Amino acid sequence: MKNPSSIKKILITAGPTREFIDPVRFISNPSTGAIGYAIAGIAAKKGKEVILLSGPTYLKPPPNVKIFYFESALDLEKLAGKYFKWADCFISSAAVSDFRPRLKEKEKIKKKNGINSLLLVENPDILKSLAAKKKDKILVGFALETENLLKNALLKLREKNLDLIVANKLSSAHSPFGTARVNAYIIDRRGCKKYDAVNKVKLARIILDRVEQICYSFKHV
Ligand code: CTP
């Protein structure tokens, strides 16, 4: 198994997906990509090779990070599939839309024609399908929940075969969207630790430290 210094190549996904309904409208979410960008920047400063797969965001790419952009979940699936093999560690912070419109209209849908319903189909679960090829890679996921935070996050940790999951509850006090502080739990197979009103850059540092500790404990069990 890996030791901390054997984590050299980190693949990170960040930001929202956009699922277009027609050329001018899409389904998305308020993710800014801040946590993924912070992790990428800190990892690069630590001397790691970093590939960042980014959804649409206004953030500036961190120095010494190779960046590729995606729009839809299907774009991200292709990019992540391409670079997964390369990575020692995969950190999936992207807020991936679980559904996309069944059809993208070629022309703008005109109001006068009306619309009664929007047919959606399910997107692939990118993290879950890549986890099937995990081998000795370290996998980190995120869980955003509005209820049963720990129960749902633990379920995702197991179902997606993750080493670590960062769980955030959507609450008015500290919204996980944006660059402000968040309330977060970091959960691994040994336990759970709560971080109150933690700054996202600090949280990014903690996540990377936890990843290295996991490698170390693998090496010493
Ligand atoms: N994820 C993914 N592909 C998807 C959905 C999610 O790779 N289609 C990843 C996210 O990047 C995150 C983790 O899976 O690391 C959990 O995402 P989340 O949206 O919280 O959960 P879902 O698995 O989509 O489940 P649900 O929407 O039912 O909570």
Side-chain angles (χ1 to χ4, degrees), residues 21-25 104-110:
I21 298 165
D22 71 10
V24 299
R25 303 178 178 96
K104 178 188 165 188
E105 296 293 337
K106 273 208 185 84
E107 308 297 339
K108 185 181 175 193
I109 299 166
K110 299 304 285 179

Side-chain angles (χ1 to χ4, degrees), residues 12 19 48 52 96 101 106 114 125 128 138 177 198 201 215:
I12 302 163
E19 309 296 336
K48 311 290 181 191
L52 175 62
V96 184
K106 273 208 185 84
D125 189 321
K128 192 172 177 181
I138 301 291
F177 297 124
V198 61
V201 174
C215 290

Side-chain angles (χ1 to χ4, degrees), residues 133-153:
K133 302 178 231 167
K134 181 181 189 301
K135 296 187 181 153
D136 63 349
K137 292 180 199 301
I138 301 291
L139 297 192
V140 178
F142 282 70
L144 174 62
E145 308 291 343
T146 56
E147 57 183 352
N148 302 324
L149 177 66
L150 292 180
K151 189 175 159 224
N152 287 334

